[in-house]
Amino acid sequence: MTDYQNKTDESTRLLPATAESLALAASLLHRGDLVAFPTETVYGLGADALNPEAVRSIFAAKGRPADNPLIVHIHDRDQLEQLCDIPPKADLLMDAFWPGPLTILFPRKNTVPDVVTAGLPTVAIRMPSHPVAAAMLKASGLPVAAPSANLSGRPSPTTAQHVLEDMDGRIPLILDGGPCDVGLESTVVDLCHGQPVILRPGGITKEMLESALHAPVTVAGSVLRPLEPGEKALSPGMRYKHYAPKGTVTLIDGNEDSVVPALKQHCLQDLKNGRRSCVLCFSEHVSALKACNPHDMGSIHDHAEIAHRLFDILRQLDEEGMESVYSEVIPPEGVGLAVMNRLGRAAAFRIIHA
Ligand code: AMP
Ligand code: MG
């Protein structure tokens, strides 16, 4: 077991997924070491979920607060028996969405170390569909606890290069599987407390869950607003300043005719005052905003593409040293809810109505 606490000297290998690198990943996991791997949502930083020391080294490598629980990744439903009980209706969701970007909370068994669940009575589990994730899980045969493979506080990594930026020298291996498909973290759903609740929106939408469950699904109130003082986060990760670039992000809401001029006015004013400033806008508005360092979020009609690009753009803003950022918004429906949850947090829910 390696001590990752103050480590910056170990060289990190970035390897394409081959039979050889997958076997190396499996042996590192069995030894209690960490491996970063691609999933269809974002890159994960994995350790043997049943080895508390190995799981502790995830928190050290990321600088992650110990009260923020991890998701356990499996490749076969037979692995559930060892980890948890299965609440009514969970089968409907597993049948419909596994393997895929849906995390389900289950009542945990004692085999799951406290460090994985941050002491909560539930354990979050998902079965990823990415072929490299599935192959690594199968090769190791282990349930693998994995949060996103970024330093705590940075946007989740959606390419192997993002992982290397954050984890170089801190972990022995990154498996490169190219850019992640969804680009936002998994949907987290709680079936353990009566009516199903989405704790964190993602690529599997409320509408998709309702159609699989034949029942209404609610969305946790804190998804589209900041937590109130003293309010308990149902999804502990929501407590943290996860998605915020260093600059000030402001959202601009309104109709198409008013938003573009407002973006331009605010950004140009800041540029005039000597601030590094830019706009995040739809592809359709890039040319109208060419004086404002436009960052193309994707077409107004393609919310999945906007989700796919968002974290890469948030990382770029820091690289460019942006001090103020003005962004368009999309309706919080379908995958738009997940986009607005992340973008809203990046903006600390600062919004101007144009
Ligand atoms: P990450 O993969 O970095 O987004 O981290 C996993 C996230 O899943 C955490 O930040 C929590 O918000 C959520 N999560 C994991 N386990 C639980 C749990 N037992 N109850 C509620 N939320 C959880
Ligand atoms: Mg994370």
Coordinates of all heavy atoms in Angstrom, one line a residue, residues 41-45 62 64 67-73 103-106 108 116-125 146-150 156 185-186 188-190 193 199-200 233-240 242-243 342, ligand 1:
T41 N -19.9 8.4 -17.8 CA -20.3 9.7 -17.2 C -19.0 10.6 -17.2 O -18.9 11.6 -17.9 CB -20.9 9.6 -15.8 OG1 -19.9 8.9 -15.0 CG2 -22.2 8.8 -15.9
V42 N -18.1 10.3 -16.2 CA -16.8 11.1 -16.1 C -15.8 10.0 -15.7 O -16.1 8.8 -15.5 CB -16.9 12.2 -15.0 CG1 -18.0 13.2 -15.3 CG2 -17.1 11.6 -13.6
Y43 N -14.5 10.4 -15.6 CA -13.5 9.4 -15.2 C -13.6 9.2 -13.7 O -13.9 10.2 -12.9 CB -12.1 9.9 -15.5 CG -11.6 9.6 -16.9 CD1 -12.2 10.3 -18.0 CD2 -10.7 8.6 -17.2 CE1 -11.8 9.9 -19.3 CE2 -10.3 8.3 -18.4 CZ -10.8 8.9 -19.5 OH -10.5 8.6 -20.8
G44 N -13.4 8.0 -13.2 CA -13.5 7.6 -11.8 C -12.1 7.3 -11.3 O -11.2 7.0 -12.0
L45 N -12.0 7.5 -9.9 CA -10.7 7.1 -9.3 C -11.0 6.0 -8.3 O -11.7 6.1 -7.3 CB -10.2 8.3 -8.5 CG -8.9 8.1 -7.7 CD1 -7.7 7.8 -8.7 CD2 -8.5 9.4 -6.9
K62 N -7.4 12.9 -3.6 CA -8.2 13.9 -4.1 C -8.3 15.1 -3.2 O -8.8 16.2 -3.6 CB -9.7 13.4 -4.2 CG -10.0 12.6 -5.4 CD -11.5 12.1 -5.3 CE -12.5 13.2 -5.3 NZ -13.0 13.7 -6.7
R64 N -10.3 15.0 -0.6 CA -11.8 15.0 -0.5 C -12.2 14.9 1.0 O -11.6 14.1 1.7 CB -12.3 13.7 -1.2 CG -13.8 13.6 -1.2 CD -14.2 12.3 -2.1 NE -15.5 12.0 -2.1 CZ -16.4 12.2 -3.1 NH1 -15.9 13.0 -4.1 NH2 -17.6 11.8 -3.1
D67 N -16.5 13.2 4.8 CA -18.0 13.0 5.0 C -18.7 13.0 3.6 O -19.9 13.2 3.6 CB -18.6 14.1 5.9 CG -18.3 15.5 5.4 OD1 -17.7 15.7 4.3 OD2 -18.8 16.5 6.0
N68 N -17.9 12.9 2.6 CA -18.5 12.8 1.2 C -18.4 11.4 0.7 O -17.3 11.0 0.3 CB -17.8 13.9 0.3 CG -18.6 14.1 -1.0 OD1 -19.7 13.5 -1.2 ND2 -18.0 14.9 -1.9
P69 N -19.5 10.6 0.7 CA -19.4 9.2 0.4 C -19.1 8.9 -1.1 O -19.3 9.8 -2.0 CB -20.8 8.7 0.7 CG -21.7 9.9 0.6 CD -20.9 11.0 1.0
L70 N -18.7 7.7 -1.4 CA -18.3 7.3 -2.7 C -19.4 6.3 -3.3 O -20.2 5.8 -2.6 CB -17.0 6.5 -2.6 CG -15.9 7.1 -1.9 CD1 -14.6 6.3 -1.9 CD2 -15.5 8.5 -2.4
I71 N -19.3 6.2 -4.7 CA -20.1 5.3 -5.4 C -19.4 4.0 -5.6 O -18.2 4.0 -6.0 CB -20.6 5.9 -6.7 CG1 -21.5 7.1 -6.4 CG2 -21.3 4.9 -7.6 CD1 -21.8 8.0 -7.7
V72 N -20.0 2.8 -5.3 CA -19.4 1.5 -5.6 C -19.8 1.0 -7.0 O -21.0 1.0 -7.3 CB -19.8 0.5 -4.5 CG1 -19.3 -0.9 -4.8 CG2 -19.4 1.0 -3.1
H73 N -18.8 0.7 -7.8 CA -19.1 0.2 -9.1 C -19.0 -1.3 -9.2 O -18.0 -1.9 -8.7 CB -18.0 0.9 -10.1 CG -18.2 2.4 -10.2 ND1 -17.9 3.2 -9.1 CD2 -18.6 3.2 -11.2 CE1 -18.2 4.5 -9.5 NE2 -18.5 4.5 -10.7
T103 N -27.1 5.8 -10.6 CA -26.6 5.3 -9.3 C -27.8 5.2 -8.4 O -28.7 6.1 -8.3 CB -25.6 6.3 -8.6 OG1 -24.5 6.4 -9.5 CG2 -25.2 5.9 -7.2
I104 N -28.0 4.0 -7.7 CA -29.1 3.7 -6.8 C -28.6 3.6 -5.4 O -27.5 3.0 -5.2 CB -29.8 2.4 -7.3 CG1 -30.2 2.5 -8.8 CG2 -31.0 2.1 -6.4 CD1 -30.8 1.2 -9.4
L105 N -29.3 4.2 -4.5 CA -29.0 4.0 -3.0 C -29.6 2.7 -2.5 O -30.8 2.5 -2.8 CB -29.4 5.1 -2.2 CG -28.9 6.5 -2.5 CD1 -29.2 7.4 -1.3 CD2 -27.4 6.5 -2.7
F106 N -28.8 1.8 -1.9 CA -29.3 0.6 -1.3 C -29.0 0.6 0.2 O -28.0 1.1 0.7 CB -28.6 -0.6 -1.9 CG -28.8 -0.8 -3.4 CD1 -28.0 -0.2 -4.3 CD2 -29.8 -1.7 -3.8 CE1 -28.2 -0.4 -5.7 CE2 -30.0 -1.9 -5.2 CZ -29.2 -1.2 -6.1
R108 N -27.2 -0.6 3.1 CA -25.9 -1.3 3.1 C -25.8 -2.5 4.0 O -26.5 -2.6 5.1 CB -24.8 -0.4 3.4 CG -24.8 0.0 4.9 CD -23.8 1.1 5.2 NE -22.5 0.6 5.6 CZ -21.7 1.3 6.4 NH1 -22.1 2.5 6.9 NH2 -20.6 0.8 6.8
V116 N -16.4 4.1 3.0 CA -17.1 4.2 1.7 C -18.3 5.0 1.7 O -18.6 5.9 0.8 CB -17.4 2.8 1.1 CG1 -18.2 2.9 -0.2 CG2 -16.1 2.0 0.9
T117 N -19.1 4.8 2.8 CA -20.5 5.5 2.8 C -20.5 6.7 3.7 O -21.5 7.3 4.0 CB -21.5 4.5 3.4 OG1 -21.1 4.2 4.8 CG2 -21.5 3.2 2.6
A118 N -19.3 7.1 4.2 CA -19.2 8.2 5.2 C -20.1 7.9 6.4 O -20.8 8.8 6.9 CB -19.5 9.5 4.5
G119 N -20.3 6.6 6.7 CA -21.0 6.2 7.9 C -22.6 6.2 7.7 O -23.3 5.9 8.6
L120 N -23.0 6.5 6.4 CA -24.5 6.5 6.2 C -25.0 5.1 6.1 O -24.3 4.1 5.9 CB -24.8 7.2 4.8 CG -24.5 8.7 4.7 CD1 -24.5 9.2 3.3 CD2 -25.5 9.5 5.6
P121 N -26.3 4.9 6.4 CA -26.9 3.5 6.4 C -27.1 3.0 5.0 O -27.5 1.9 4.8 CB -28.2 3.7 7.1 CG -28.6 5.2 7.0 CD -27.3 5.9 6.9
T122 N -26.9 3.9 3.9 CA -27.1 3.4 2.6 C -25.8 3.4 1.8 O -24.8 4.2 2.2 CB -28.0 4.4 1.8 OG1 -27.6 5.7 2.0 CG2 -29.5 4.3 2.3
V123 N -25.7 2.6 0.8 CA -24.5 2.6 -0.1 C -25.0 2.9 -1.5 O -26.0 2.3 -2.0 CB -23.7 1.2 0.0 CG1 -24.6 0.0 -0.3 CG2 -22.5 1.3 -0.9
A124 N -24.3 3.8 -2.2 CA -24.6 4.1 -3.6 C -23.9 3.2 -4.5 O -22.7 3.0 -4.4 CB -24.1 5.6 -3.8
I125 N -24.7 2.6 -5.4 CA -24.1 1.6 -6.3 C -24.5 1.8 -7.8 O -25.6 2.2 -8.0 CB -24.5 0.1 -5.9 CG1 -24.1 -0.1 -4.5 CG2 -23.8 -0.9 -6.9 CD1 -24.4 -1.5 -4.0
A146 N -15.5 4.4 -6.3 CA -14.8 5.4 -7.1 C -15.7 6.7 -7.1 O -16.8 6.7 -7.5 CB -14.6 4.9 -8.5
P147 N -15.1 7.8 -6.7 CA -15.6 9.1 -7.0 C -15.0 9.6 -8.3 O -14.3 8.9 -8.9 CB -15.1 10.0 -5.8 CG -13.7 9.4 -5.6 CD -13.8 7.9 -5.9
S148 N -15.4 10.8 -8.7 CA -14.8 11.4 -9.9 C -13.3 11.6 -9.6 O -12.8 11.9 -8.5 CB -15.4 12.7 -10.2 OG -15.5 13.5 -9.1
A149 N -12.4 11.5 -10.7 CA -11.0 11.4 -10.6 C -10.3 12.8 -10.6 O -9.3 13.0 -11.2 CB -10.4 10.5 -11.6
N150 N -11.0 13.8 -10.1 CA -10.5 15.2 -10.0 C -10.0 15.5 -8.6 O -10.3 14.8 -7.7 CB -11.6 16.2 -10.4 CG -12.8 15.9 -9.6 OD1 -13.5 14.9 -9.8 ND2 -13.1 16.8 -8.6
S156 N -15.3 17.8 -12.6 CA -15.0 16.4 -12.8 C -14.3 16.2 -14.2 O -14.6 16.9 -15.1 CB -16.3 15.6 -12.9 OG -16.9 15.6 -11.6
E185 N -21.7 13.7 -14.1 CA -21.8 12.6 -13.2 C -23.2 11.9 -13.3 O -24.2 12.5 -13.6 CB -21.5 13.0 -11.8 CG -20.2 13.7 -11.5 CD -20.3 15.2 -11.7 OE1 -21.3 15.7 -12.4 OE2 -19.4 15.9 -11.3
S186 N -23.2 10.7 -12.8 CA -24.5 9.9 -12.8 C -25.6 10.5 -12.1 O -25.4 11.2 -11.1 CB -24.2 8.5 -12.2 OG -23.7 8.6 -10.9
V188 N -28.3 10.2 -9.3 CA -28.3 9.5 -8.1 C -29.8 9.5 -7.6 O -30.4 10.5 -7.4 CB -27.5 10.1 -6.9 CG1 -27.6 9.3 -5.6 CG2 -26.0 10.1 -7.4
V189 N -30.4 8.2 -7.4 CA -31.8 8.1 -7.0 C -31.9 7.4 -5.7 O -31.2 6.4 -5.5 CB -32.6 7.5 -8.1 CG1 -32.3 6.1 -8.4 CG2 -34.1 7.6 -7.8
D190 N -32.8 7.8 -4.8 CA -33.0 7.2 -3.5 C -34.4 6.5 -3.5 O -35.4 7.2 -3.7 CB -32.9 8.3 -2.4 CG -33.1 7.7 -1.0 OD1 -33.3 6.5 -0.9 OD2 -33.1 8.5 -0.1
H193 N -36.5 5.7 1.0 CA -37.3 6.5 1.9 C -38.6 6.8 1.2 O -38.9 8.0 1.0 CB -36.5 7.7 2.3 CG -35.2 7.4 2.9 ND1 -34.0 7.4 2.2 CD2 -34.9 7.1 4.2 CE1 -33.0 7.1 3.0 NE2 -33.5 6.9 4.2
L199 N -31.5 12.7 -6.1 CA -30.7 13.5 -5.2 C -29.7 14.3 -6.0 O -29.3 15.4 -5.6 CB -29.9 12.6 -4.2 CG -30.7 11.7 -3.3 CD1 -29.8 11.0 -2.4 CD2 -31.8 12.5 -2.6
R200 N -29.3 13.7 -7.2 CA -28.4 14.4 -8.1 C -28.9 14.1 -9.5 O -28.9 13.0 -9.9 CB -27.0 14.0 -7.9 CG -26.0 14.6 -8.8 CD -24.5 14.2 -8.5 NE -24.2 12.9 -9.0 CZ -23.0 12.3 -8.8 NH1 -22.1 13.0 -8.2 NH2 -22.8 11.1 -9.2
A233 N -27.8 18.2 3.5 CA -27.8 17.8 2.1 C -28.2 16.3 2.0 O -27.6 15.5 2.6 CB -26.4 18.0 1.5
L234 N -29.2 16.0 1.2 CA -29.6 14.6 1.0 C -28.4 13.9 0.3 O -28.2 12.7 0.5 CB -30.9 14.5 0.2 CG -32.1 15.1 0.9 CD1 -33.3 15.1 0.0 CD2 -32.4 14.2 2.2
S235 N -27.8 14.6 -0.7 CA -26.7 14.0 -1.4 C -25.5 14.8 -0.9 O -25.3 16.0 -1.3 CB -26.9 14.2 -2.9 OG -25.9 13.6 -3.6
P236 N -24.6 14.2 -0.1 CA -23.6 15.0 0.6 C -22.7 15.8 -0.3 O -22.3 16.9 0.0 CB -22.8 14.0 1.4 CG -23.7 12.8 1.6 CD -24.6 12.8 0.4
G237 N -22.5 15.3 -1.5 CA -21.6 16.0 -2.5 C -22.1 17.4 -2.8 O -21.3 18.3 -3.2
M238 N -23.4 17.6 -2.7 CA -24.0 18.9 -3.0 C -23.6 20.0 -2.1 O -23.8 21.2 -2.3 CB -25.5 18.8 -3.0 CG -26.1 17.9 -4.0 SD -26.1 18.7 -5.6 CE -26.9 17.4 -6.6
R239 N -23.0 19.6 -0.9 CA -22.6 20.6 0.0 C -21.4 21.4 -0.4 O -21.1 22.5 0.0 CB -22.2 19.9 1.4 CG -23.2 19.9 2.4 CD -22.6 19.6 3.7 NE -21.7 18.5 3.8 CZ -22.1 17.3 4.1 NH1 -23.3 17.0 4.3 NH2 -21.2 16.3 4.1
Y240 N -20.6 20.8 -1.3 CA -19.3 21.3 -1.6 C -19.3 22.2 -2.8 O -20.1 22.0 -3.7 CB -18.3 20.2 -1.7 CG -18.2 19.4 -0.4 CD1 -18.8 18.2 -0.3 CD2 -17.6 20.0 0.7 CE1 -18.8 17.5 0.9 CE2 -17.6 19.4 1.9 CZ -18.2 18.1 2.0 OH -18.1 17.5 3.2
H242 N -18.3 22.4 -5.8 CA -17.7 21.4 -6.7 C -17.3 22.0 -8.1 O -16.3 21.6 -8.6 CB -18.8 20.4 -7.0 CG -18.6 19.1 -6.6 ND1 -18.8 18.7 -5.3 CD2 -18.1 18.0 -7.2 CE1 -18.5 17.4 -5.2 NE2 -18.0 17.0 -6.3
Y243 N -18.2 22.8 -8.6 CA -18.1 23.1 -10.1 C -17.6 24.5 -10.3 O -17.7 25.0 -11.5 CB -19.4 22.8 -10.7 CG -20.0 21.4 -10.3 CD1 -21.0 21.3 -9.4 CD2 -19.4 20.3 -10.9 CE1 -21.4 20.0 -9.0 CE2 -19.9 19.0 -10.5 CZ -20.9 18.9 -9.6 OH -21.3 17.7 -9.3
R342 N -25.3 21.8 -12.4 CA -23.9 22.0 -12.3 C -23.6 23.5 -12.6 O -22.7 24.1 -11.9 CB -23.1 21.1 -13.3 CG -23.4 19.6 -13.3 CD -23.5 19.0 -12.0 NE -23.5 17.5 -12.1 CZ -24.6 16.7 -12.2 NH1 -25.8 17.3 -12.1 NH2 -24.4 15.4 -12.2
Ligands
AMP1 P1 -18.7 11.8 -7.0 O1 -18.6 10.5 -7.8 O2 -17.4 12.5 -6.8 O3 -19.7 12.8 -7.6 O4 -19.2 11.4 -5.6 C1 -20.3 10.6 -5.4 C2 -21.5 11.3 -4.9 O5 -22.6 10.4 -4.7 C3 -21.4 12.0 -3.5 O6 -20.9 13.3 -3.6 C4 -22.8 12.0 -3.0 O7 -23.4 13.2 -3.4 C5 -23.5 10.8 -3.7 N1 -23.6 9.7 -2.7 C6 -22.8 8.6 -2.6 N2 -23.2 7.8 -1.6 C7 -24.3 8.4 -1.1 C8 -25.3 8.0 -0.1 N3 -25.1 6.9 0.6 N4 -26.3 8.8 0.1 C9 -26.5 10.0 -0.7 N5 -25.7 10.3 -1.6 C10 -24.6 9.6 -1.9

